């Protein structure tokens, strides 16, 4: 085994996790949940969910 980078299984698992999180976020947005990116938060009395996959 070479030391060129992370193991393929590790990359595949994290890629699958990121894809599932993105699909879950899209489901929440489609159902009308108030999701905002971290730079879009404004003062509000309503609860706001922050997107987890922000850069």
């Amino acid at each position: 085994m070479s030391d060129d980078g992370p193991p393929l299984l590790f990359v595949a698992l994290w890629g699958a996790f990121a894809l599932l999180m993105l699909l879950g976020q899209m489901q929440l947005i489609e159902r009308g949940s108030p999701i905002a990116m971290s730079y879009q938060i404004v003062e509000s009395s309503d609860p706001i969910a922050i997107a987890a996959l922000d850069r």
Side-chain angles (χ1 to χ4, degrees), residues 6-43:
L8 183 60
L9 179 60
F10 176 79
V11 174
L13 287 175
W14 274 108
F17 172 74
L19 182 62
L20 288 173
M21 290 296 290
L22 182 62
L23 292 174
Q25 181 178 334
M26 287 172 33
Q27 282 286 325
L28 286 171
I29 290 170
E30 286 177 6
R31 293 174 187 221
S33 294
I35 293 181
M37 300 302 260
S38 60
Y39 53 83
Q40 294 175 322
I41 295 178
V42 295
E43 293 297 323

